[in-house]
Amino acid sequence: MSQVEQNVHPGMNLGYSGDTKHAEVNVFGFWLFLMSDLVTFGIVFAVFGTMTGATAGGPGPEEVTNLHSIALQTALLLGSSFGFSWASLSMKYHDERWRTLGWLAIAATSALGFLVIEFIDFLHWIEIGAVPQRSGYLSALWALVGLHGLHVTAGLLWMGTITAQILRFGLTDKVKSRVTRMGLYWHFLDVVWVGIFSMVFLAGVA
């Protein structure tokens, strides 16, 4: 079999050599899931866009936006994505379980830091009365930022499951395929966060 036939998707192929056709079907199905999730976020973004001026005399963008906190959250989330990328590269080029797990640990720690700071921001919003029921703007803000936070939380649980599978089974073809899909999901959340960072927080205080 030629190298071209073995490596039909060089951009995503992480080195598995077993049932590649089955792996492609799984990756394609996962792309469909991501597109449906993108539609969901698009709807929530659209709702937020219609509510930007609906503060009803309550806290607005200037009161709820802490640019230092947002910048730190952005750095941590991008750092997590960076760590996950290195985990994927390590898996592809070195095929060493512990090196891959080390990068996954860095990715998970950064994401956990992101969630902690975001949770502190939520507590601050509650303290200043910026609760979801206060206005349409705050309802949309909590829905959008909270939805992204729930996705990151789910991703962390998924990452923990993959870590357990690597420890139990090693870097098998199935595990590599799952890591590939996890990477798509993780980088997708970065794209969504960049939208929140620029369209919600930066635009809100501009």
Side-chain angles (χ1 to χ4, degrees):
M1 183 179 295
S2 70
Q3 186 172 357
V4 174
E5 291 172 325
Q6 291 175 342
N7 196 13
V8 290
H9 292 294
M12 295 191 298
N13 193 326
L14 293 178
Y16 41 82
S17 57
D19 188 359
T20 55
K21 184 175 182 179
H22 182 67
E24 288 176 26
V25 171
N26 286 338
V27 172
F28 178 73
F30 197 74
W31 271 110
L32 293 180
F33 160 73
L34 286 182
M35 285 188 284
S36 66
D37 221 18
L38 180 63
V39 171
T40 301
F41 272 107
I43 292 172
V44 181
F45 265 108
V47 171
F48 178 84
T50 64
M51 293 291 177
T52 51
T55 59
E62 293 80 7
E63 288 78 21
V64 301
T65 301
N66 181 340
L67 288 180
H68 293 291
S69 173
I70 300 304
L72 184 55
Q73 289 176 58
T74 302
L76 285 170
L77 197 61
L78 294 180
S80 176
S81 187
F82 178 79
F84 199 95
S85 297
W86 275 102
S88 300
L89 291 173
S90 174
M91 185 173 64
K92 178 175 182 178
Y93 291 109
H94 301 287
D95 203 24
E96 295 177 8
R97 174 190 310 194
W98 293 108
R99 181 179 297 199
T100 301
L101 288 175
W103 284 113
L104 284 180
I106 292 174
T109 303
S110 295
L112 186 61
F114 167 85
L115 286 177
V116 169
I117 297 175
E118 187 171 74
F119 182 71
I120 292 173
D121 278 355
F122 284 155
L123 292 179
H124 174 66
W125 292 356
I126 294 173
E127 286 177 358
I128 65 174
V131 291
Q133 63 270 29
R134 181 65 182 81
S135 67
Y137 164 76
L138 290 171
S139 297
L141 178 67
W142 277 82
L144 181 55
V145 179
L147 181 63
H148 179 268
L150 285 175
H151 275 69
V152 175
T153 302
L156 272 179
L157 294 175
W158 187 6
M159 203 179 299
T161 302
I162 285 180
T163 298
Q165 291 177 354
I166 293 176
L167 288 171
R168 175 66 177 84
F169 304 109
L171 294 173
T172 64
D173 291 350
K174 287 185 178 179
V175 172
K176 287 180 178 179
S177 177
R178 289 164 186 162
V179 172
T180 305
R181 279 170 274 161
M182 171 86 206
L184 294 174
Y185 177 82
W186 209 236
H187 300 312
F188 165 74
L189 293 184
D190 278 350
V191 174
V192 174
W193 178 256
V194 169
I196 294 174
F197 174 77
S198 56
M199 298 174 62
V200 175
F201 293 114
L202 283 185
V205 297

